Amino acid sequence: MSDLTLGALYGAVTLVVMFSGMPIAFALGVVATGFMYFCMPPSSLDTITQNVYEEMASITLLSIPLFILKGAAIGKSPAGKDLYSAIHTWMHKIPGGLGIANVFACALFAAMAGSSPATCSAIGSAGIPEMRRRGYSPGFAAGIIAAGGTLGILLPPSITMILYAVAAEQSLGRLFLAGIGPGVLLVLLFAGYAVYRAHKEYKAALVIYEQGGAKSAYLEDEHFTLAQKVEMLPRVLPFIILLIGVMIALYGGFATPSETAGLGALLALVLLAVIYGVWRPKDLSPILSSSIKESTMLLLIIGMSLFYSYVMSYLHISQSAAAWVVSLHLSKWLLLAVILLMVIVFGFFLPPVSIILMTAPIILPPLKAAGFDLIWFGIVMTVVMEMGLIHPPVGLNIFVIKNIAPDIPLKDVVWGVFPFLILMFVAVLLLCVFPSISTGLPDMIMGAK
């Protein structure tokens, strides 16, 4: 059997097992073990645990459960609601200010928590009801939170970027810096659309009112005194200081990524104790419990994905697939388009973690041979995977929104995120035309590669 035929069989069996409903980690492990049994020496089965351990024995991966603990500590607290309320209080006078407040709150919370679902849940639980109360359509309110939540895998600290850095053997610090520019770009695109949509809905509400209809909450003015605005700051500033402090520790050379993750988790727990009085065992139990569950699930997926990739490499499937892609002699940008299209398709039914670890051995060698900067590609790939978080059939953030706002029809949520999918596509095009959006900051701080 040729390597390409074996690779096609490997992929087909993987799809069949996944569509059977088996959890992703177990599906990948079962397929890898089965092919190891039939296609590799019998003694290979004795090395499964050793292979999984060696693949995961990375100091960089150690930062993942620590970042998860930091995210859980912030996500389980009222910090998200306070952050949203503070930004809304200061920005309510701007046209579309409520929508912009949600976008900015999502961006800041994502940078603190590093989790897309946690961002959606924390900001959405406060933002969606407030937007609907103020007259925004349910679909738009759901869409802007779902899209804003995707920033959790782009803005540092990002677990997705940690895994890409491991798979692509790239600098994690450089990758984190490279995500800031595109993250700001997406925030500005989302905020711009929020202003446009708010203006459009305001005009529609005004026409209805002038024709004798009911006065929408959209048309009501809202006032906050300076004292009310200042009152909101003390609860938010410590978390912003935490975010800045962690970034200084990482990029100032004072701590490694793993040490920074531990420092961030510890400081987040201290801030919860000081600001919200969350220090008793019964209060900390949900935080620690959710951290352990999420870390176990994610590390199991990572371990099985790395094991799956190891078997694929041993059988020369990844090498043959990469060589086949190179032999097609596609132009540089056509090659990129084909690979990103493949990532989009995988995003229909796989989470970003599995996409990175399963495809990296196949797609990175041809991209490197074509002259692409792998740091830049990691950011472009992350933005494309962000799209997978808000498009059916998986669309994790869609279901998080559906959980916190069950009365909004799923159809409205899907249509609500559609404009943001277009904006993400625009962001990818801008990154291709102006790669310095991503590479400029790391080159300036860490020097050109």
Side-chain angles (χ1 to χ4, degrees):
M1 187 182 297
S2 69
D3 290 338
L4 287 177
T5 303
L6 182 61
L9 181 62
Y10 197 63
V13 172
T14 302
L15 289 176
V16 169
V17 174
M18 283 187 171
F19 283 122
S20 71
M22 185 180 295
I24 291 174
F26 295 111
L28 297 177
V30 165
V31 172
T33 303
F35 275 80
M36 179 179 273
Y37 178 80
F38 288 107
C39 303
M40 293 170 64
S43 59
S44 300
L45 292 173
D46 298 331
T47 66
I48 291 178
T49 53
Q50 179 184 348
N51 286 328
V52 173
Y53 173 78
E54 289 178 351
E55 293 286 352
M56 294 189 66
S58 165
I59 192 67
T60 305
L61 291 180
L62 177 62
S63 62
I64 290 178
L66 296 173
F67 277 130
I68 288 175
L69 174 58
K70 176 186 166 206
I74 296 173
K76 295 286 184 182
S77 73
K81 184 177 180 181
D82 285 348
L83 179 62
Y84 163 76
S85 299
I87 296 176
H88 169 51
T89 301
W90 282 89
M91 302 189 68
H92 72 283
K93 283 292 185 181
I94 301 173
L98 194 54
I100 298 174
N102 277 286
V103 174
F104 282 10
C106 282
L108 286 172
F109 192 88
M112 289 190 291
S115 168
S116 290
T119 302
C120 276
S121 179
I123 304 300
S125 58
I128 292 178
E130 181 64 17
M131 289 185 75
R132 295 178 71 183
R133 187 183 71 80
R134 296 293 302 165
Y136 285 80
S137 62
F140 173 60
I144 199 169
I145 296 294
T150 64
L151 297 169
I153 69 169
L154 182 61
L155 293 169
S158 164
I159 292 172
T160 302
M161 287 190 188
I162 295 172
L163 294 176
Y164 179 84
V166 171
E169 298 179 352
Q170 299 294 311
S171 164
L172 179 58
R174 184 175 287 272
L175 196 61
F176 275 176
L177 283 175
I180 294 176
V184 172
L185 173 63
L186 282 174
V187 168
L188 293 177
L189 288 173
F190 291 170
Y193 177 73
V195 172
Y196 163 76
R197 183 63 182 263
H199 180 68
K200 184 178 177 182
E201 293 197 1
Y202 178 87
K203 288 176 66 177
L206 186 60
V207 168
I208 292 174
Y209 178 65
E210 289 175 345
Q211 292 176 349
K215 184 177 182 181
S216 170
Y218 238 122
L219 306 178
E220 296 177 2
D221 199 7
E222 194 172 15
H223 296 281
F224 293 98
T225 64
L226 181 60
Q228 289 176 311
K229 293 179 179 180
V230 173
E231 187 183 346
M232 295 302 301
L233 294 179
R235 290 197 168 217
V236 176
L237 285 178
F239 290 95
I240 296 178
I241 293 171
L242 165 64
L243 171 62
I244 296 172
V246 166
M247 299 301 287
I248 291 174
L250 179 60
Y251 294 111
F254 302 110
T256 65
S258 299
E259 292 167 345
T260 303
L263 175 66
L266 180 61
L267 289 178
L269 291 172
V270 170
L271 287 173
L272 286 188
V274 172
I275 297 175
Y276 299 108
V278 178
W279 57 270
R280 297 176 181 83
K282 67 174 183 177
D283 298 325
L284 294 176
S285 178
I287 295 173
L288 299 177
S289 176
S290 67
S291 299
I292 292 172
K293 288 178 182 177
E294 188 175 345
S295 298
T296 303
M297 176 193 70
L298 191 57
L299 290 173
L300 187 59
I301 292 176
I302 292 170
M304 291 300 102
S305 296
L306 291 170
F307 176 48
Y308 180 91
S309 298
Y310 164 77
V311 173
M312 190 164 58
S313 177
Y314 185 94
L315 298 176
H316 292 277
I317 294 172
S318 54
Q319 297 91 323
S320 299
W324 176 73
V325 172
V326 172
S327 70
L328 295 176
H329 300 294
L330 300 174
S331 68
K332 180 178 180 178
W333 295 106
L334 181 58
L335 172 66
L336 178 67
V338 170
I339 288 175
L340 292 180
L341 181 62
M342 180 181 72
V343 172
I344 291 173
V345 172
F346 282 153
F348 288 154
F349 51 89
L350 286 175
V353 170
S354 297
I355 294 174
I356 290 173
L357 297 177
M358 290 169 61
T359 63
I362 297 174
I363 65 177
L364 294 184
L367 287 168
K368 190 173 183 179
F372 284 107
D373 182 342
L374 293 187
I375 292 287
W376 170 86
F377 173 73
I379 300 304
V380 172
M381 184 180 184
T382 300
V383 175
V384 171
M385 289 189 296
E386 279 186 316
M387 297 167 70
L389 291 172
I390 57 172
H391 72 59
V394 177
L396 177 60
N397 285 12
I398 291 178
F399 294 101
V400 172
I401 295 297
K402 188 66 180 145
N403 184 55
I404 62 177
D407 59 318
I408 302 179
L410 185 60
K411 179 185 71 173
D412 290 352
V413 178
V414 172
W415 279 111
V417 302
F418 185 73
F420 297 97
L421 287 172
I422 296 175
L423 292 175
M424 288 180 180
F425 179 72
V426 170
V428 170
L429 291 180
L430 290 173
L431 284 170
C432 291
V433 177
F434 306 105
S436 60
I437 295 173
S438 174
T439 59
L441 186 59
D443 285 349
M444 181 177 66
I445 294 178
M446 304 180 71
K449 292 178 66 178

